[in-house]
Amino acid sequence: MFQWDPRALEILDVLEKAGRQAVLVGGCVRDALRGVSPHDYDGAAAARPEEILALCKTRFRCIPTGLAHGTVTVVNRGLPVEVTAFRRDGTYSDHRRPDGVQYTLRLEEDLARRDFTVNAIAWSPESGLTDPFGGQRDLAAGVIRCVGEPDRRFQEDALRVLRGLRLAAQLDFSLEAATAAALRRNTPLLSYVAWERVQAEFLRLLCSPGAERILLDFPETVCQIVPELAPAVGFCQKNPHHVYDVYTHCVKTLGGVRPEPALRLAALLHDAGKPPCFSLDGQGVGHFYGHEGESARLAEEAARRLRLDNRTRERVTTLVSRHGLQITPTERLVRRWLQKLTPPVFFDLLELQRADGMACAPRPAPEPDRCALLREMAEEILAQNPCLTRKELAVNGRDALAAGLSGPEIGRALDQLLDRVAAGDLPNDRSVLLPLLGRDLTGG
């Protein structure tokens, strides 16, 4: 029935032959039941962690990744399997990890401590499926439901609040009513979770197939993570070109771009600055002058809080700050913006602008045609291998030094030449560029 990786089964076999019940559990079983090949494997065994380590290290490489909580990572020919002792968790005073654990020999007790029913299903070659909480039923119904009492599950580990939304978005499932209500009640507990963990789950949520629906259904949880968006929820734009409030427009823009973390986060935040920039004209029409800069400032705050790396943070803020940029479709300007933004960011910007236009109203907008034309022009330009970076320029810093330049003058001179070459005003020819080093080219 299932196509398991034989390397995972070999690990179970070693434990079983030693008289310890061993199972696959969690996401790998859930995926197999959905007909999806598991990408990673988790196991559980009726053995203490030191026993798992002792039994497995004779055949496999073992890493004591979480002995305090019963987990050993067993690596079989490159496949890591996290094997955890059957356990009952104690109290969770920090809303993240149990203060202590008690080991048990009963699989059902181990499954009872898990977060959601679709993750509380186990399988072994000897006993087949063990599903005491109806996980298969919920999988078939497309439902995320807590194991046991929902408030208790979320209060034990606050990250489950975000994990539940991510799982619902990833599988494109709905949340069972009591689970959804408890999730909303316990959203403030996310403040106990390290931002690095929040970031990992949140970006996975944003890039999941059901992200748009989940973000619209749970704005309070999104705003717990990104409070910069809170004023946008329900904020009417009072503009005939916008039928949605600011938050809904941002989420629908996110749904219109490909699932890449920086691009989706930029789409979500691209109009975060609209509420503080709102003004009404004499006809009662809303305007948002300067909102691109304010949105970029808020996006920078959010990106730093989420502990994004510098490259991703800069990509997000650049896309947000430039999302209103109107590039006239001429070869010169397309060349210039390819150089200023870099080709990957240029194409991301076109995708963001297209989605932004489509999310203004539930009807086709003319914006995609302009974006398509700019994309086509950019692709034609790139096919010519243009000079877009200093590294590709026919002159360099040593040439600038030889021309008598020093310090910041060198960078300014090279950038001026690069701007002119990238725009197609000058050829990338050493004999042409050398005499121009140090000359003021800003006037054309």
Side-chain angles (χ1 to χ4, degrees), residues 216 219 229-238 242-253 270-271 274-275 288 359-360:
L216 289 175
L229 283 169
V233 178
F235 194 99
C236 179
Q237 305 197 54
K238 297 187 183 300
H242 287 275
V243 300
Y244 302 116
D245 66 82
V246 175
Y247 179 78
T248 301
H249 167 72
C250 288
V251 173
K252 287 187 173 294
T253 301
H270 79 281
D271 277 351
K274 274 190 169 182
F288 303 93
C360 291

Side-chain angles (χ1 to χ4, degrees), residues 39-61:
H39 294 293
D40 48 53
Y41 284 82
D42 290 312
R48 298 178 66 86
E50 57 269 22
E51 292 179 292
I52 297 170
L53 187 62
L55 291 169
C56 290
K57 70 180 183 181
T58 59
R59 288 259 322 257
F60 314 112
R61 183 166 69 92

Side-chain angles (χ1 to χ4, degrees), residues 107-278:
L107 172 58
E108 288 75 10
E109 286 187 309
D110 182 79
L111 295 176
R113 71 177 177 83
R114 296 178 181 267
D115 50 10
F116 305 107
T117 61
V118 297
N119 291 334
I121 311 170
W123 179 91
S124 73
E126 286 71 25
S127 56
L129 285 169
T130 301
D131 179 21
F133 302 103
Q136 293 178 85
R137 177 196 62 220
D138 287 340
L139 272 177
V143 170
I144 300 299
R145 182 194 311 270
C146 281
V147 172
E149 204 278 305
D151 280 302
R152 178 180 176 183
R153 290 285 87 88
F154 292 127
Q155 289 164 16
E156 287 171 342
D157 181 357
L159 186 60
R160 288 171 176 165
V161 168
L162 190 49
R163 191 181 295 133
L165 295 187
R166 187 265 300 168
L167 191 58
Q170 177 185 330
L171 301 178
D172 210 3
F173 282 12
S174 62
L175 280 97
E176 178 266 335
T179 297
L183 188 149
R184 290 187 172 95
R185 283 194 297 272
N186 290 283
T187 281
L189 294 178
L190 283 172
S191 61
Y192 287 90
V193 183
W195 280 106
E196 290 79 4
R197 298 303 304 274
V198 170
Q199 178 218 104
E201 288 289 346
F202 188 57
L203 293 183
R204 288 182 70 187
L205 163 59
L206 296 189
C207 294
S208 294
E212 182 178 334
R213 175 177 53 81
I214 293 298
L215 295 179
L216 289 175
D217 287 348
F218 293 88
E220 58 273 83
T221 306
V222 176
C223 293
Q224 175 77 23
I225 299 163
V226 189
E228 292 80 5
L229 283 169
V233 178
F235 194 99
C236 179
Q237 305 197 54
K238 297 187 183 300
N239 190 293
H241 301 294
H242 287 275
V243 300
Y244 302 116
D245 66 82
V246 175
Y247 179 78
T248 301
H249 167 72
C250 288
V251 173
K252 287 187 173 294
T253 301
L254 173 146
V257 300
R258 72 184 186 280
E260 191 277 326
L263 182 56
R264 288 230 159 163
L265 186 59
L268 183 64
L269 292 166
H270 79 281
D271 277 351
K274 274 190 169 182
C277 295
F278 177 70

Side-chain angles (χ1 to χ4, degrees), residues 25 29 64 84 104 106 125 132 158 193 293 296 331 358-359 371 388 394-395:
V25 69
V29 180
T84 302
T104 177
R106 296 187 61 237
V193 183
E331 182 175 346
M358 296 294 287
C371 294
L388 299 175
V395 293

Side-chain angles (χ1 to χ4, degrees), residues 36 108 230 260 333 414 422 428:
V36 177
E108 288 75 10
E260 191 277 326
L333 286 176
L414 292 175
N428 191 27

